[in-house]
Amino acid sequence: QHLVVMVAVIVNQYSILTAPHLSHALTPFSGRKISFKMWTGVFFFLAFAGGVVSGLNTVLYGPAARELLLLAAKVAAREGLETSCVCAPGTEDGCRRLMYGTEYTKDGGDKPGYARPVSSGGDIQASLEAADSLIFVAYDAPIDEKSYNILLDSTGDKLSKVVLMSKMGVTKAKGGFFGGNDGKLLESENLLREICKKKGLALSIVRAGTLKGGGPGEEGNDFGLDKCYYNTLLDVVEASVTMAHDKYTLGLDCRTGDSVEVPNMFTQMGSKSSFEACPWDTNRIVVAGGVVAAALYDKPIEFSVSAEKATEPPTLTAWNEAFSTII
């Protein structure tokens, strides 16, 4: 029986509204089943040796923070994962342009080894059924229970790891009406914890502070999004800080759990125009790498990513070493 998940996506919010979904059985690959942990070990061995690994699939979804979602998708594809990112219908070329530039979009479609934007119900379903990991980006907008369930219920037998991209300070938020947006993010985070526990899925949580950067930085680099990303920044100060952050603040400062003390709003506003490394700031390129590294790590892990001085982002080897010190 062929089952179809009908998915509607709000153009501005990327939110999955509804989907009639039935539980489905997938025919497993014949032969010995290879666990996600074994695949991860093989990936790291070859990646650290300079090789490229195929065979692992990941899907990214988020209702907002499009630049962060696309950047994480680009990093995942660069590291050898077959990568799909859920986007609003009609925005596929815009997503490709932001990740890879105008020249990439001229031929149309997606090339092997590049992140693939998906928007139709059929494409989303196919990507989810093949996924080994599912990455939720809920940095500034919570994901509701229905969306979690629709996406997770649509995955196949291969899924073993879920990664949530969240925000620093969320676990300290008050619940209910007085919790504000952070309170809603906390409720969404706790929902996902419960769902993953019931389904027996490993959950990792990656936290970011005030987001900065996200472009290529120096001319010729391909660390972040395409250089056309800078053209979307209309504020001169924000554009200058963003470009400087991508040149000089790409270091790794990884701290366990939600342990970074986030200052009040006035203090945060004071560092808005600075590319200096603050513990409550986070470079988009660096945290995107952390999300991918968490998806490939063989244990569930929760950590926060702070800004640090460096001219190149951390490698997967560096992330792996950092994880071993905070578990």
Side-chain angles (χ1 to χ4, degrees):
Q1 183 182 9
H2 297 283
L3 304 172
V4 179
V5 176
M6 301 301 295
V7 182
V9 186
I10 298 179
V11 173
N12 290 333
Q13 296 297 323
Y14 298 179
S15 296
I16 292 178
L17 295 177
T18 184
H21 181 275
L22 301 175
S23 60
H24 58 283
L26 299 178
T27 303
F29 183 80
S30 59
R32 182 169 177 263
K33 187 176 181 181
I34 300 177
S35 69
F36 180 83
K37 184 174 180 179
M38 292 172 65
W39 272 120
T40 303
V42 173
F43 177 87
F44 273 114
F45 176 79
L46 292 177
F48 299 159
V52 178
V53 175
S54 61
L56 289 177
N57 293 264
T58 192
V59 177
L60 296 93
Y61 168 78
R66 183 175 74 145
E67 292 82 4
L68 186 56
L69 184 145
L70 294 177
L71 185 48
K74 182 177 181 179
V75 173
R78 184 190 300 145
E79 297 298 345
L81 284 78
E82 292 291 330
T83 305
S84 301
C85 53
V86 179
C87 69
T91 66
E92 294 89 347
D93 275 351
C95 291
R96 295 184 186 104
R97 188 178 302 110
L98 203 53
M99 288 189 287
Y100 301 114
T102 303
E103 288 297 319
Y104 179 78
T105 62
K106 287 184 177 179
D107 296 333
D110 299 289
K111 299 176 183 178
Y114 289 75
R116 183 171 73 106
V118 292
S119 61
S120 71
D123 286 343
I124 294 171
Q125 177 75 50
S127 297
L128 289 169
E129 288 180 349
D132 298 276
S133 60
L134 181 54
I135 297 172
F136 291 108
V137 178
Y139 171 79
D140 51 5
I143 299 174
D144 59 64
E145 185 175 7
K146 180 184 286 188
S147 296
Y148 280 140
N149 284 324
I150 288 172
L151 290 164
L152 287 166
D153 288 346
S154 302
T155 57
D157 294 335
K158 293 173 62 180
L159 186 72
S160 296
K161 174 67 74 67
V162 175
V163 179
L164 174 66
M165 168 73 212
S166 188
K167 194 175 183 181
M168 289 180 186
V170 165
T171 59
K172 303 174 182 67
K174 298 178 181 178
F177 176 80
F178 295 101
N181 192 56
D182 281 2
K184 294 176 181 178
L185 290 172
L186 178 59
E187 291 174 9
S188 175
E189 187 175 301
N190 289 335
L191 273 173
L192 184 58
R193 289 183 191 273
E194 293 175 10
I195 294 170
C196 288
K197 185 176 180 180
K198 289 178 182 177
K199 291 181 175 292
L201 297 170
L203 172 63
S204 292
I205 299 179
V206 184
R207 303 187 184 281
T210 301
L211 291 170
K212 294 181 177 179
E218 295 283 1
E219 186 69 29
N221 285 344
D222 193 33
F223 298 144
L225 296 170
D226 184 77
K227 62 183 180 181
C228 68
Y229 166 61
Y230 293 140
N231 296 332
T232 67
L233 306 175
L234 303 180
D235 184 271
V236 175
V237 174
E238 181 186 6
S240 299
V241 171
T242 299
M243 288 185 276
H245 224 266
D246 291 335
K247 292 179 181 179
Y248 308 115
T249 321
L250 295 173
L252 174 56
D253 184 350
C254 180
R255 310 184 188 196
T256 186
D258 190 10
S259 57
V260 177
E261 289 297 324
V262 180
N264 60 49
M265 186 181 300
F266 298 104
T267 303
Q268 292 182 60
M269 289 176 62
S271 66
K272 184 178 180 180
S273 59
S274 172
F275 63 89
E276 292 298 322
C278 295
W280 56 85
D281 287 345
T282 304
N283 185 279
R284 288 183 178 88
I285 298 169
V286 179
V287 75
V291 167
V292 175
L296 291 166
Y297 199 57
D298 62 355
K299 298 181 182 70
I301 186 170
E302 182 175 344
F303 60 95
S304 299
V305 180
S306 295
E308 184 60 74
K309 287 292 184 184
T311 56
E312 292 187 1
T315 63
L316 282 175
T317 307
W319 279 112
N320 198 38
E321 292 172 351
F323 292 163
S324 66
T325 65
I326 64 174
I327 290 184

